[in-house]
């Protein structure tokens, strides 16, 4: 999952974000819905490693407590 997130971010502008569903679709194809929580967990691990940030409404949030839709971007 981490590799999928980083690959998608590498293919976008430095200021762009991805939706966790983008990574889930990249890994799971048409069976992506069941991968949403694993993608969110992978995003949390990448935040802990300092590789990405998780945002809501354009503001960085704690991925461990964020509720609802999130976006993932390269760490700034």
């Amino acid at each position: 999952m981490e590799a999928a997130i980083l690959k998608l971010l590498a293919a976008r502008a430095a200021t762009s974000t991805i939706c966790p569903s983008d990574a889930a679709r990249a890994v799971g194809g048409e069976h992506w819905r069941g991968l949403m929580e694993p993608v969110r967990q992978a995003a949390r691990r990448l935040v802990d490693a300092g590789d990405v940030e998780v945002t809501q409404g354009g503001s960085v949030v704690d991925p461990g407590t964020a509720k609802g839709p999130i976006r993932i971007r390269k760490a700034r």
Side-chain angles (χ1 to χ4, degrees):
M1 290 299 172
E2 288 92 333
I5 291 168
L6 295 174
K7 182 177 179 180
L8 288 167
L9 289 172
R12 302 206 177 174
T15 57
S16 293
T17 64
I18 63 165
C19 179
S21 66
D22 296 332
R25 284 183 178 98
V27 172
E30 63 185 56
H31 304 288
W32 63 273
R33 290 188 190 277
L35 297 175
M36 288 300 291
E37 185 54 32
V39 170
R40 289 175 73 104
Q41 292 170 359
R44 287 193 283 275
R45 290 189 295 270
L46 289 169
V47 166
D48 290 343
D51 296 324
V52 304
E53 296 173 331
V54 170
T55 65
Q56 283 184 317
S59 298
V60 176
V61 296
D62 178 350
T65 59
K67 302 288 184 205
I70 60 169
R71 303 288 296 178
I72 305 166
R73 70 181 184 197
K74 294 176 189 172
R76 295 182 179 169

